[in-house]
Amino acid sequence: MKPKVAFFDFTSCEGCQLDVLNLTGEELLDLLAGVEIVSFREAISRNDEDYDIAFIEGSISRDSEIPRLQKIRKQAKILVAMGACACIGGVNCLKNHLTMNEALTMVYGADAKQFDTIPARPINAVVPVDAYIRGCPAQTGEFAKLVKALLIGKKPETPSYPVCTECKMAGNICVYELGKTCIGPVTRAGCGAICVTGGRQCWGCRGLVDEPNINSQEEILKKYGLTPAQVVEKFKIYNTYSEVKK
Amino acid sequence: MKTNSVLIVDDEAIVRESIRDWLKDSGYDVATAESAEEALKMVAKKDYHVLVLDVRLPGKSGLTALKEIKAIHPDVKAVIITAYPSEETTAEARRLGALDCMIKPVNPEDLEKLIRDAVASIDKEADKKPAKKAAASKKSVVISKRSFKTLITSLLQDMEVVGVKGKKGKFIFDKINNFDELKMDYDLTPIPPTKYLFPAKETILKYDLSDFKKSTPVLDNAPRAIVGVHPYDIRAIEMLDEAFITANPDPNYIARRQNSLIIGVDCLNPSPKAFSPSMGTNVAEAGFDLLLTDIGDTYMVTVGSQKGADLLKKHAQVIEPTTDDIARQKMVRDEALTKYQLALDIPRERLPKLLEDAYDDPYWAERASTCLSCGSCVMVCPTCFCFDVQDDVSLNLKDGERTRLWDGCMLVDFAKVAGGENFRHDKTSRFHHRMYRKGKYVLERYGRMGCVGCGRCGTACLAEIASPVEAFNAIAESARAKQEAARAVETIRPEKELYAPMQAELVRVDNLAAKEKVFEIKLAGGKDLGQKPGQFVELSLFGLGEAPFGVASSPTRRGTFEIAVRNVGSLTNVSHNLKKGDTVGIRGPFGNGFPLKQFEGKDLLLIAGGTGIFPMRSLIQYVLDNRKLYGRVIVLYGARGPAERLFTDDLEGWKNNANLEFHETVDRGDAIWKGNVGVITTLIPKVQLDPKKTVAVIVGPPIMYRFVIVELKKRDIADENVIMSLERRMKCGVGKCGHCQMNGLYVCQEGPVFSLAQLRTVREAV
Ligand SMILES: Cc1cc2nc3c(=O)[nH]c(=O)nc-3n(C[C@H](O)[C@H](O)[C@H](O)COP(=O)(O)OP(=O)(O)OC[C@H]3O[C@@H](n4cnc5c(N)ncnc54)[C@H](O)[C@@H]3O)c2cc1C
Ligand code: SF4
Ligand code: SF4
Ligand code: SF4
Ligand code: SF4
Ligand code: SF4
Ligand code: FES
């Protein structure tokens, strides 16, 4: 029997779900041949309560989201966090630097009172997570890789080494040599260092590696001219949650 | 010509002559040279059949000489002899085509046999290929730069050409589409050209999940020219050849290697992080098809293979090099050598042993602490060849491929096994392992250096810790320090008397005040103590212990010396019961004493408070006994009260001594006291001073120093000219026990006398 797959979104832009659809027609058919999609708000209108694999997108930033996520966890055999928001809290956690009232007022102005916002957190801060598709947005290729791994019965793996390793494999000139800075040395790889390859630098959207040498990274950023405030800024964009926790 | 001429090159006359005599007796035509330079000159004039070369010679080494001679006479046979055998030397000798590497002292019979066989083989080879021109390879020719352009342009028609291109102000190896993109003068590329032989990711196998038989190995057989490879990268390729070809020949590597043309170029402008000369890899003798040296308008081209020779024949116009060209090539190469900024401090032959001994050196953990485990150092290294193998199936789950990707020992999970155990779980063990690969393991396993000194890792490592040259030098330094310490332990004669006091007799005991007594002491045999004013001795009472006391008398008063003791505790209390004729122990004198030289020609302002007069008295006596050496001598003395004044007889004498200006005060007066009342600092404004000529000396209770210094600052006396004697708790007096330590200083050794300037950064001082 084909495993039933469902997609759920919490606080996010839904950019990750859209990215999954970026498969070619043939690839999509291949995928549909292997699984049965029962709930996918973006693509189909069916909403089924019976599923095996749940893909969760977005972070948790409202009280009401917690029981909903817990209910999904209970039903799903495999729960996958998809995208930076779900995996590490992501950009949504930027608001954690403000008080919740400030954040509400900034976003919703006078209507702020109606919303029950709480500090944003990744999915695994609320329920156990079986697998991660990292990145902002999550990449089609990695999504496909994970689905294949699940179908074949292989343990889904993301690299434990940082972006620099892949950046060297891609043959890039390190941005530090070009007068820019980057947190690739502490960011989990898997993206192939696409941002550096594309002429930018790594902002850490895939989260930190398991044993990031944050002290050393901070020293390096300072050595390359960043002020302590700018150093914090570097980590803030995607890694507020893990940084705040530490 | 008979095949029997032998040239012996050794700087030791005895070796040279004994081998010469033996071989002459066996019928050889023998010549000798004392240095490589001399040998090269002789070889230029005459063809020798066999060379016997010592490795260590005064100028160039025997191996270098062999390399140079082989370039001109590729058929010459050589035997290397050395008193310092090492795997590196042997490997290098073999690489240069030496018959053997013999260890000195050499058995002449063995040597003669080796030479006899060599001569026989030369004759046989000559018989076999009489017409064939020797050395089509390793020949040097000259081509014009225009001709080189034609060559590359022709190659572009036939195959993929990769070479060095500019990118964002740096250089990279990439596909070349036309000659003008090609840069032949560059320092370093972040990723080495070895990526064309061992790419970051390659498919090694394709398979069908349902049909096992359909699985097929994937090889890259496309012809490719790699242009502009520097010698260190050529040497790295030779190392990779060793790793991939020996034992289980790797089909993927070999397919690429066999289908690649390697066109090297000498590196004339090395990267600031490079150190290839130290690794012996700034030159390449093999491993390329052509090797160019830019000698101005033309390239000197060394032909390294038949493929290279054919290539020149087909696409280029070659000219025979003139002596001028050869000289120019040597000149540009020598000039390049002067541009390296980093070098190994030890011969590379010593690395394996050095590393073996440094296994537990604290350096590894200390340096690894900032490692990011980012993997950059192993990804960019031309001699790193570890890989990971991964399977990837297509979305339809029907077929797939097996790929290999660069991997490396600096990555966290590299040595992790199922079950989660990681054999190199910490940064230190990984850092350690990589450095040992580079300097020891690879060399031992493959006979080639595991690091070619390209400088890529040093450039890539953001933590600035990855460069092997830095690690090796640090380890060498610590080994050297250790060795020196060890040598000292063996050869130094201990000072047996260090802790044994000298016997002495009290010749006089006088009361100075209620709690103070002075002891006049005579060392056994009437020996002089030989103290400098400001030094101290340890007074030793068996059963009680020892305590430090400043010497209160000047060395100019000979035969005996004095110490004055205030009764403050057990030893001092017992000492006060001692009588004339009693025996005590003395160790010393210790410490540095006052800087008497600095005082000469100066006005002296001598400020003593309380018992500070004890060591100061020694100085005052000394100055009075050498009065001519000094300008004005001003003595300021302060006591708590009239009853606490010490050495009152001396005080009276100084007051009336025309050679001194003496001022005195007590903190609190009494009915009889007619002199100054007030703390000692009140005396300072009363004296006239020339700040440029004055040296001030302060001895007193700790609290006094701060206030006196403030007063002296007001009088503009420089910190260099404010001299103080400090008191600290002391036991050994000889810089061992550590009690007196004040930040990094040992008061008993560098002190007790310091200038204020010296103490400026010593936070524990005042
Ligand atoms: C370089 C130097 C020169 C000195 N010159 C004189 C001098 O000329 N005349 C003089 O009377 N005193 C001098 N002292 C101080 C003298 O050494 C101590 O007063 C003496 O050690 C006290 O010993 P104790 O057994 O009587 O006292 P304890 O009963 O051991 O202790 C009494 C006090 O003395 C201190 N003390 C103990 N041992 C030492 C020690 N080894 N070094 C310093 N302080 C100690 C203790 O901290 C305690 O405050 C000098 C000290 C130094 C370091
Ligand atoms: S650009 Fe960033 S990711 Fe790439 S090597 Fe440099 S620091 Fe690492
Ligand atoms: S390079 Fe960095 S920011 Fe860019 S996708 Fe990769 S992890 Fe995210
Ligand atoms: S260890 Fe560093 S210097 Fe040595 S060959 Fe590798 S990258 Fe070059
Ligand atoms: S073990 Fe480490 S140093 Fe050695 S080749 Fe592999 S990655 Fe390079
Ligand atoms: S030594 Fe430097 S380059 Fe190598 S893993 Fe550590 S931080 Fe990265
Ligand atoms: S008194 Fe022992 S080290 Fe100075």
Side-chain angles (χ1 to χ4, degrees):
Chain A
M1 218 184 56
K2 287 192 210 171
K4 295 195 178 84
V5 171
F7 293 80
F8 302 92
D9 63 297
F10 288 81
T11 308
S12 77
C13 59
E14 291 173 33
C16 292
Q17 285 194 14
L18 289 167
D19 212 61
V20 171
L21 294 183
N22 208 3
L23 294 162
T24 64
E26 196 188 334
E27 286 168 330
L28 200 60
L29 285 179
D30 279 338
L31 179 64
L32 290 174
V35 301
E36 185 187 344
I37 297 177
V38 297
S39 169
F40 196 159
R41 215 187 69 188
E42 290 285 321
I44 53 173
S45 44
R46 260 178 78 188
N47 238 329
D48 214 309
E49 287 304 298
D50 177 21
Y51 45 82
D52 306 296
I53 306 172
F55 286 89
I56 310 291
E57 182 218 349
S59 57
I60 303 305
S61 71
R62 265 177 275 148
D63 267 336
S64 56
E65 289 175 334
I66 294 175
R68 185 176 159 227
L69 180 61
Q70 283 164 339
K71 199 171 143 230
I72 298 168
R73 175 70 266 192
K74 226 179 241 157
Q75 168 64 32
K77 293 196 186 75
I78 294 168
L79 187 138
V80 183
M82 187 166 79
C85 304
C87 293
I88 55 171
V91 184
N92 292 321
C93 292
L94 274 176
K95 74 167 187 190
N96 298 0
H97 294 284
L98 312 171
T99 68
M100 285 308 117
N101 279 332
E102 277 169 357
L104 281 174
T105 315
M106 218 164 100
V107 180
Y108 300 106
D111 301 333
K113 289 268 140 23
Q114 302 168 232
F115 298 88
D116 62 331
T117 184
I118 56 172
R121 61 201 69 185
I123 301 305
N124 67 6
V126 181
V127 296
V129 171
D130 301 307
Y132 299 87
I133 306 172
R134 293 170 186 275
C136 179
Q139 300 295 307
T140 315
E142 283 188 81
F143 173 76
K145 203 171 139 195
L146 182 97
V147 172
K148 286 186 291 190
L150 292 178
L151 291 176
I152 279 190
K154 187 161 121 182
K155 198 172 149 243
E157 273 174 17
T158 38
S160 56
Y161 48 76
V163 177
C164 293
T165 301
E166 290 184 335
C167 192
K168 298 299 182 196
M169 287 193 199
N172 291 324
I173 293 167
C174 179
V175 299
Y176 282 91
E177 282 199 62
L178 304 171
K180 289 188 275 182
T181 54
C182 171
I183 60 166
V186 289
T187 302
R188 188 181 296 273
C191 59
I194 43 170
C195 297
V196 184
T197 309
R200 284 160 292 134
Q201 59 257 53
C202 175
W203 286 97
C205 83
R206 299 176 60 84
L208 301 174
V209 289
D210 290 335
E211 296 166 33
N213 195 337
I214 297 290
N215 285 345
S216 186
Q217 174 69 83
E218 288 181 350
E219 283 313 307
I220 289 162
L221 291 171
K222 284 182 206 151
K223 192 169 70 194
Y224 281 82
L226 262 58
T227 61
Q230 287 170 318
V231 170
V232 170
E233 203 63 30
K234 275 267 173 192
F235 285 103
K236 221 159 131 180
I237 302 208
Y238 288 105
N239 292 294
T240 287
Y241 187 78
S242 36
E243 280 294 281
V244 166
K245 220 168 43 177
K246 120 182 139 123
Chain B
M1 194 178 76
K2 201 165 170 239
T3 315
N4 72 347
S5 65
V6 180
L7 175 61
I8 301 162
V9 192
D10 199 307
D11 56 336
E12 276 179 89
I14 176 95
V15 177
R16 217 164 47 226
E17 284 155 20
S18 64
I19 299 179
R20 181 194 61 197
D21 295 347
W22 185 276
L23 292 177
K24 267 197 170 158
D25 289 348
S26 310
Y28 292 93
D29 169 17
V30 191
T32 60
E34 289 180 32
S35 67
E37 288 74 10
E38 190 187 350
L40 286 166
K41 274 192 207 138
M42 293 170 71
V43 168
K45 289 200 199 103
K46 178 179 169 181
D47 283 347
Y48 292 90
H49 298 108
V50 183
L51 308 171
V52 178
L53 286 155
D54 184 21
V55 176
R56 296 215 182 161
L57 293 168
K60 279 184 195 172
S61 80
L63 290 172
T64 312
L66 177 59
K67 201 184 297 171
E68 294 183 17
I69 296 169
K70 277 263 180 186
I72 322 166
H73 303 282
D75 288 336
V76 73
K77 304 287 170 189
V79 179
I80 298 296
I81 56 177
T82 180
Y84 310 93
S86 74
E87 282 170 64
E88 254 275 284
T89 307
T90 314
E92 184 77 2
R94 199 164 300 143
R95 206 175 59 73
L96 293 171
L99 298 168
D100 199 359
C101 190
M102 300 178 87
I103 298 166
K104 283 200 212 173
V106 175
N107 177 354
E109 281 175 58
D110 293 348
L111 181 64
E112 201 270 323
K113 166 146 192 339
L114 204 62
I115 294 175
R116 198 178 336 127
D117 293 348
V119 165
S121 80
I122 294 175
D123 288 339
K124 228 196 288 162
E125 277 168 34
D127 289 347
K128 256 204 291 191
K129 39 161 196 179
K132 203 167 185 184
K133 209 172 137 215
S137 60
K138 296 298 161 49
K139 198 172 134 55
S140 287
V141 297
V142 167
I143 64 171
S144 70
K145 291 201 168 161
R146 171 125 40 91
S147 187
F148 179 62
K149 178 171 179 173
T150 315
L151 187 149
I152 296 295
T153 311
S154 319
L155 273 181
L156 279 163
Q157 312 294 315
D158 299 345
M159 61 181 77
E160 181 182 86
V161 178
V162 294
V164 179
K165 284 198 316 205
K167 184 182 176 187
K168 301 182 180 173
K170 309 274 166 191
F171 299 101
I172 58 161
F173 269 97
D174 202 359
K175 193 169 154 38
I176 299 292
N177 295 310
N178 65 69
F179 176 80
D180 296 328
E181 288 178 324
L182 193 62
K183 299 268 186 291
M184 292 298 277
D185 182 13
Y186 69 99
D187 52 359
L188 189 66
T189 58
I191 304 294
T194 47
K195 67 178 178 182
Y196 297 109
L197 303 173
F198 172 50
K201 182 174 181 176
E202 72 181 316
T203 303
I204 54 175
L205 204 63
K206 284 204 160 124
Y207 49 72
D208 194 309
L209 288 166
S210 55
D211 186 354
F212 196 90
K213 288 198 198 69
K214 277 194 189 158
S215 70
T216 40
V218 180
L219 297 176
D220 175 5
N221 285 307
R224 186 177 289 117
I226 312 174
V227 185
V229 184
H230 278 163
Y232 52 79
D233 281 336
I234 294 174
R235 299 294 290 271
I237 292 172
E238 290 188 285
M239 202 263 114
L240 294 182
D241 286 351
E242 215 52 72
F244 279 113
I245 299 172
T246 35
N248 303 307
D250 181 295
N252 296 73
Y253 179 83
I254 293 171
R256 288 195 159 84
R257 181 77 169 96
Q258 288 176 340
N259 289 296
S260 294
L261 261 179
I262 295 175
I263 301 179
V265 65
D266 266 323
C267 176
L268 302 180
N269 288 299
S271 146
K273 295 286 164 73
F275 53 99
S276 50
S278 296
M279 304 318 260
T281 51
N282 57 318
V283 286
E285 302 294 327
F288 54 82
D289 297 296
L290 297 175
L291 177 71
L292 281 58
T293 314
D294 188 335
I295 55 168
D297 300 332
T298 53
Y299 284 114
M300 183 78 132
V301 186
T302 312
V303 183
S305 71
Q306 195 57 47
K307 263 202 282 183
D310 295 346
L311 196 66
L312 284 181
K313 201 150 124 210
K314 206 166 143 199
H315 300 297
Q317 283 186 313
V318 304
I319 320 162
E320 277 300 306
T322 62
T323 46
D324 224 39
D325 293 331
I326 295 168
R328 205 123 42 95
Q329 181 182 39
K330 185 172 178 329
M331 198 191 75
V332 295
R333 283 180 168 173
D334 287 351
E335 195 185 311
L337 275 182
T338 64
K339 296 182 185 167
Y340 288 87
Q341 296 174 24
L342 297 175
L344 262 187
D345 296 340
I346 40 140
R348 59 181 179 280
E349 290 82 1
R350 279 185 42 207
L351 283 175
K353 177 80 175 75
L354 186 76
L355 287 168
E356 191 179 313
D357 294 344
Y359 202 89
D360 298 315
D361 202 284
Y363 175 83
W364 306 117
E366 189 192 300
R367 282 308 264 175
S369 67
T370 56
C371 177
L372 298 147
S373 305
C374 73
S376 291
C377 51
V378 284
M379 292 296 132
V380 300
C381 178
T383 61
C384 276
F385 52 85
C386 293
F387 55 81
D388 186 22
V389 178
Q390 289 181 3
D391 267 33
D392 195 10
V393 291
S394 53
L395 210 47
N396 61 24
L397 307 184
K398 289 197 182 91
D399 46 43
E401 52 184 46
R402 186 158 291 172
T403 54
R404 76 168 166 200
L405 301 94
W406 289 347
D407 201 345
C409 59
M410 293 303 279
L411 300 180
V412 175
D413 286 353
F414 187 66
K416 194 162 164 181
V417 294
E421 173 82 355
N422 188 340
F423 289 99
R424 266 182 241 109
H425 60 87
D426 60 343
K427 297 193 285 282
T428 306
S429 60
R430 295 189 289 264
F431 184 72
H432 189 274
H433 181 75
R434 172 171 172 269
M435 289 300 183
Y436 275 66
R437 285 279 298 206
K438 297 299 165 204
K440 181 170 155 67
Y441 303 154
V442 167
L443 182 67
E444 289 169 350
R445 193 176 168 83
Y446 301 109
R448 286 179 186 282
M449 270 300 182
C451 166
V452 295
C454 68
R456 288 189 177 92
C457 58
T459 310
C461 177
L462 293 168
E464 298 180 9
I465 56 173
S467 179
V469 70
E470 184 204 293
F472 297 158
N473 283 346
I475 287 299
E477 175 57 33
S478 99
R480 210 179 49 76
K482 254 187 254 163
Q483 212 174 26
E484 247 166 41
R487 195 178 308 133
V489 166
E490 281 154 22
T491 56
I492 245 175
R493 275 188 300 138
E495 231 180 83
K496 289 206 194 77
E497 259 77 59
L498 192 66
Y499 298 123
M502 301 177 276
Q503 190 178 340
E505 189 198 333
L506 298 185
V507 293
R508 186 172 51 90
V509 179
D510 276 336
N511 286 329
L512 293 175
K515 287 168 74 184
E516 286 82 14
K517 283 191 177 186
V518 60
F519 300 102
E520 187 177 347
I521 301 170
K522 188 171 159 196
L523 291 178
K527 212 169 63 157
D528 278 323
L529 179 66
Q531 82 277 24
K532 272 172 76 179
Q535 283 192 302
F536 62 93
V537 292
E538 290 279 352
L539 174 68
S540 186
L541 299 183
F542 289 142
L544 280 148
E546 294 184 317
F549 297 95
V551 182
S553 60
S554 163
T556 47
R557 319 276 162 105
R558 304 188 52 180
T560 58
F561 66 94
E562 291 165 321
I563 59 169
V565 177
R566 170 174 281 180
N567 184 352
V568 294
S570 62
L571 182 137
T572 43
N573 187 33
V574 171
S575 77
H576 274 225
N577 299 328
L578 294 171
K579 288 180 293 295
K580 181 175 179 242
D582 283 345
T583 297
V584 296
I586 294 291
R587 286 196 305 123
F590 298 129
N592 58 351
F594 295 110
L596 298 172
K597 269 264 159 274
Q598 186 189 343
F599 294 174
E600 285 179 21
K602 294 277 166 54
D603 291 350
L604 303 181
L605 175 62
L606 310 179
I607 306 169
T611 56
I613 197 65
F614 298 164
M616 189 66 95
R617 178 170 174 264
S618 169
L619 180 63
I620 295 171
Q621 287 183 347
Y622 183 86
V623 166
L624 286 174
D625 292 346
N626 295 283
R627 188 62 191 85
K628 290 191 302 296
L629 295 175
Y630 311 97
R632 289 167 61 203
V633 177
I634 309 146
V635 177
L636 309 182
Y637 176 62
R640 284 239 173 106
E644 274 102 358
R645 293 166 74 238
L646 300 164
F647 284 115
T648 44
D649 291 351
D650 291 278
L651 301 180
E652 289 311 314
W654 297 335
K655 204 178 286 176
N656 303 315
N657 191 327
N659 284 320
L660 292 176
E661 300 166 47
F662 181 80
H663 306 280
E664 203 191 346
T665 182
V666 293
D667 295 359
R668 266 167 279 105
D670 61 17
I672 316 151
W673 179 252
K674 297 195 192 68
N676 290 311
V677 175
V679 292
I680 194 159
T681 42
T682 57
L683 294 177
I684 299 174
K686 293 184 185 158
V687 289
Q688 291 257 309
L689 292 175
D690 179 355
K692 285 193 191 59
K693 268 189 76 185
T694 306
V695 178
V697 182
I698 320 168
V699 193
I703 179 79
M704 191 184 108
Y705 289 94
R706 200 168 307 159
F707 295 106
V708 170
I709 289 166
V710 171
E711 279 310 310
L712 293 175
K713 291 239 177 207
K714 286 187 198 157
R715 308 298 299 270
D716 282 326
I717 299 191
D719 289 357
E720 284 74 20
N721 291 327
V722 177
I723 309 295
M724 305 177 274
S725 179
L726 302 186
E727 195 181 302
R728 283 293 183 280
R729 191 184 179 92
M730 291 182 181
K731 281 279 171 208
C732 74
V734 292
K736 302 280 186 271
C737 77
H739 281 94
C740 64
Q741 206 178 347
M742 187 170 76
N743 297 109
L745 296 173
Y746 279 104
V747 176
C748 73
Q749 298 289 291
E750 286 84 39
V753 179
F754 297 93
S755 74
L756 187 55
Q758 278 174 303
L759 296 179
R760 220 178 277 148
T761 55
V762 184
R763 305 279 298 268
E764 291 182 339
V766 187

